[in-house]
Amino acid sequence: MRRRGLWRRAVLLTAFIACDGVGHGQAGTADARHAIAMHGEPALAEGFARLNYANPAAPKGGRLVHGALGTFDSLNPFIVKSVGVHAIRGYVVESLMARGYDEPFTLYGLLARSVETDAARSFVTFTLDPAARFSDGTPVTAQDVIFSWQILRDKGRPNYRTYYAKVSKAEAVGDRAVRFVFTSGDDRELPLILGLMPVLAKHATNPDTFEETSFAPLIGSGPYVVGDVQPGRSVTLKRDPAYWGRDKAINRGFWNFDEVRFDYYRDPNTLFEAFQKGLYDVRVETDPARWQTAYSFPAMRDGRVVKEALPSGLPKGMSALVFNTRRPIFADIRVRQALLLLLDLEWLNHNFFFDLYRRTTSYFEGSELSSHGRPAGERERALLAPYLDAVRADVLDGTWSPPVTDGSGRDRDTLKHALALLSEAGYELHAGELRERSTGRPFSFEHLVTTRDQERLALAFARDLKRAGIDVKVRVVDAVQYDRRLITFDFDMIQYHWNESLSPGNEQTFYWGSAAADQDGSRNYIGVRSAAVDAMIAAMLRAREREEFVAAVRALDRLLISGIYVIPLSHLPEQWIARWSNIKHPAETSLFGYLFEAWWREPRMQ
C-alpha cells in the first residue's frame, strides 16, 4: 500500500524526536529523544511497537539465496581498493540508528538508544543502548564509535572521508555517550549522517591493514555473522542467535532467515538460467523484454514462481549514458547535445523493450523534487540568480523536455540538428566520416560496458551515431576490470544509474561536487566542476524548512539538466520482482519499495 501522506507532513518545522540521554546543548535548546527527522516530525512516537511494512509474526528459519552479477575480492565494503560485499553493511555491521522506510529521512534508535542535537544542529550526541554487543559478546562502547569515525574518515571510501571530515571534535561522555561537534552549522544533515555511520569493533579491527583487500570477516553488532566464504563466488551470512537487538521494535519482523547467501555469476544470462532452476530465490528484473517474454519456464507456469510489480514512492533516479567530461572530446556542450539528439530512444523502447519504459526527464524523476514541467518559483530563482548563465531558459521556465524522434531509427530532423551543432563545435562530415576541422582527426570514442544488456544498448547507440559519421568502439570488460576503471574514471562513456531518495543530501557532493571530480572512487563520473552546482548542494544542506529544501533540489536538477552531462535513458514505472512462491513478504510495501530484510520463507507443510 502506498503511504504518500507521511512525507507530505515533512514541511516547515525542523524537528527531531528521541528518548533518554545526557544533554550537552544550552539549557532549553536540546533534548535527548528516540528519533531524528531531517525535516518535520518523525511519524512514529516513542514506544512504537513495530513498523507497518514488517510482519512481526513472520516465521524464522530457512535460507534466502540471492543471485548477484559480478564478483568480489574483499569482505570489507568500506574501502576504495576492494570490490566488497555490500550486504556486510546492515547485516553484519550496524549503525547507531536505523532508517524508517516510510519517511523521506527519519532515523530511529538502534545501537544508540537516544539522540540529541540543538536547533542549529551544531552538534549531535548519541547515547548507546547498554545492551548493545558485538557478535563476540564485547559491549559496544563510546570508544568503538569514535574509532569507527576516525578510521572511516582517514581510510574509508571517499564519501565517508568527505562526510566525517566535517566533524571538528568527537568526545566520549562516559562509556555510553559520544558527542560530535561540527565545523560549521551549514550542514543540517550531519546528525543523521553520523547516525548512519557503520560502527566497527575497535578491538577486532587493525587500522594498519584496514585499507587492504581481505577475506577476513569484520566483527560487527548486526543480526548476522559471516559464515562460509568462497572467494569471488559466494558468501553465506548466518544469523547470530545471540544478536543483542533481536527484540527491539525497529527489528520486529526483520532478519527472518537463518542464513542469507549471495551467489555471484559473471554472465546475466547464466544468472537468469540459475533462477529458473531454483538456484536462488528472488530476482529483481529491469529488462522489459525479459519480463514480457522469458518468464514462461515450467516453474512459472505451474505457480512455483510468482511475478509481482511492487510500488515505490522514491524518485526513479537517473539512468543514463554518461559523458566523461574530463575527456577533451566531450568537453564541448554542443557535442554532448548533438549526441543526446542522435539517440533514438523511441525506436529502442518499441523494438527492444515493448514500450514498457518511460523516458527519464529529471535526476529526481517521479517526485516533488523534480523540476521537469515546473517553472522555477521565487525561491529557486533567488538561489540561481548568481548563476543564470549556467541554466537554460527553457529549463528555468519548465518547458524543456528531452528530444523525441519519429521512432524510425532514421530521423532526419534530429540528424540535421545534430550535425549543425557538431559543425559549430568544429567538426565536419567527409565521405561519411566526422572529422575535427582543425586537425582532421576522426570523431571516435570508447563505450565501456560489462553486461550483455549494456552491450546491446551500446551497439544500438553506435548504430545511431554512425549516421553522423561517429565511430564508437564498444569495449566489453569483466566486472572487476569495469569497477576498477570506474574508480579511476578511466573511460570515455559508460551506462550508469544514480539512485535518489526523497531526502537527498551529502551524497550529492559525492555525485556532483567539484571536489569529488578528482577523487578516485567518487560517483562524480561525469567530472562536473560547477560553482553553481556546489552552491545548490550547500543550500540543500543548510535548509531548515521542507519548502526551502525542495527549492534547492529543483534548482540543482535544473543545473544538471542544463549541463547536458548525460544522455537520459528510461525507467520502469514499478519495481519488478520474481520470487519462488515459498518466499513471502509483508502485505504492505514501504515508501522505499521492497525490503528483503522483512521477507521470510514459508515453513514446509508436514
Side-chain angles (χ1 to χ4, degrees), residues 150-211:
Q150 289 173 330
I151 199 169
L152 292 171
R153 178 198 61 187
D154 299 338
K155 299 186 177 186
R157 296 184 68 84
N159 53 328
Y160 295 129
R161 299 185 189 208
T162 300
Y163 304 160
Y164 302 156
K166 296 182 180 183
V167 175
S168 62
K169 182 181 180 182
E171 59 182 353
V173 184
D175 292 333
R176 291 199 299 111
V178 181
R179 184 175 191 250
F180 295 98
V181 180
F182 306 133
T183 54
S184 73
D186 293 335
D187 188 343
R188 297 185 58 76
E189 192 186 37
L190 275 180
L192 288 85
I193 292 294
L194 269 297
L196 287 177
M197 181 179 71
V199 177
L200 305 166
K202 180 179 180 180
H203 69 279
T205 306
N206 185 349
D208 295 333
T209 59
F210 183 75
E211 291 181 276

Side-chain angles (χ1 to χ4, degrees), residues 475-543:
R475 174 80 180 276
V476 183
V477 297
D478 65 34
V480 172
Q481 186 179 356
Y482 185 80
D483 286 342
R484 287 174 177 165
R485 288 186 63 173
L486 261 60
I487 286 171
T488 58
F489 312 120
D490 182 19
F491 60 86
D492 297 333
M493 175 175 281
I494 57 170
Q495 182 180 338
Y496 191 73
H497 178 85
W498 286 274
N499 290 312
E500 293 291 0
S501 74
L502 289 167
S503 184
N506 274 275
E507 78 286 346
Q508 302 301 302
T509 302
F510 191 54
Y511 293 171
W512 330 112
S514 296
D518 298 314
Q519 193 174 39
D520 285 358
S522 84
R523 293 181 190 167
N524 187 349
Y525 296 123
I526 59 182
V528 59
R529 299 175 180 87
S530 166
V533 167
D534 294 341
M536 296 312 109
I537 296 172
M540 289 166 44
L541 296 178
R542 67 172 179 263

Side-chain angles (χ1 to χ4, degrees), residues 40-73:
E41 296 280 356
L44 301 177
E46 183 177 354
F48 68 91
R50 54 167 290 232
L51 300 169
N52 291 327
Y53 45 84
N55 175 13
K60 306 287 186 183
R63 173 192 289 169
L64 178 69
V65 182
H66 289 286
L69 186 64
T71 187
F72 65 97
D73 60 11

Side-chain angles (χ1 to χ4, degrees), residues 300-529:
M300 185 81 215
R301 292 195 298 269
D302 64 23
R304 287 178 293 148
V305 170
V306 178
K307 287 170 62 178
E308 293 181 296
L310 300 178
S312 168
L314 293 180
K316 306 306 180 187
M318 175 56 75
S319 182
L321 301 178
V322 181
F323 298 109
N324 185 353
T325 63
R326 302 170 187 84
R327 300 289 207 244
I329 198 169
F330 295 137
D332 193 316
I333 193 172
R334 293 168 296 188
V335 169
R336 303 197 297 270
Q337 185 176 358
L339 270 62
L340 169 63
L341 287 164
L342 289 169
L343 176 65
D344 195 336
L345 201 60
E346 285 66 37
W347 185 92
L348 282 170
N349 193 23
H350 181 71
N351 288 278
F352 284 5
F353 305 125
F354 293 83
D355 294 316
L356 293 175
Y357 271 135
R358 303 291 181 268
R359 184 67 182 261
T360 298
T361 59
S362 164
Y363 285 75
F364 304 93
E365 180 77 29
S367 75
E368 66 166 343
L369 304 176
S370 170
S371 67
H372 182 251
R374 294 183 171 107
E378 291 183 8
R379 289 177 184 261
E380 286 182 77
R381 290 180 181 275
L383 288 169
L384 291 169
Y387 311 102
L388 287 179
D389 59 339
V391 59
R392 292 169 48 138
D394 56 348
V395 174
L396 192 65
D397 64 24
T399 61
W400 175 88
S401 281
V404 177
T405 71
D406 61 12
S408 67
R410 301 178 300 277
D411 191 307
R412 293 185 178 182
D413 290 339
T414 56
L415 176 61
K416 182 179 179 180
H417 188 184
L419 287 173
L421 287 167
L422 290 165
S423 179
E424 291 176 18
Y427 293 91
E428 287 184 348
L429 192 61
H430 289 288
E433 185 177 49
L434 191 71
R435 291 181 174 272
E436 190 174 25
R437 192 177 295 119
S438 60
T439 65
R441 186 183 299 118
F443 191 111
S444 177
F445 66 90
E446 181 182 88
H447 190 155
L448 189 68
V449 302
T450 189
T451 69
R452 290 187 180 179
D453 289 343
Q454 289 180 356
E455 182 184 20
R456 179 172 64 162
L457 180 60
L459 290 172
F461 186 41
R463 179 211 62 192
D464 291 340
L465 296 186
K466 190 67 176 177
R467 298 175 60 233
I470 297 172
D471 176 43
V472 181
K473 296 176 174 62
V474 178
R475 174 80 180 276
V476 183
V477 297
D478 65 34
V480 172
Q481 186 179 356
Y482 185 80
D483 286 342
R484 287 174 177 165
R485 288 186 63 173
L486 261 60
I487 286 171
T488 58
F489 312 120
D490 182 19
F491 60 86
D492 297 333
M493 175 175 281
I494 57 170
Q495 182 180 338
Y496 191 73
H497 178 85
W498 286 274
N499 290 312
E500 293 291 0
S501 74
L502 289 167
S503 184
N506 274 275
E507 78 286 346
Q508 302 301 302
T509 302
F510 191 54
Y511 293 171
W512 330 112
S514 296
D518 298 314
Q519 193 174 39
D520 285 358
S522 84
R523 293 181 190 167
N524 187 349
Y525 296 123
I526 59 182
V528 59
R529 299 175 180 87

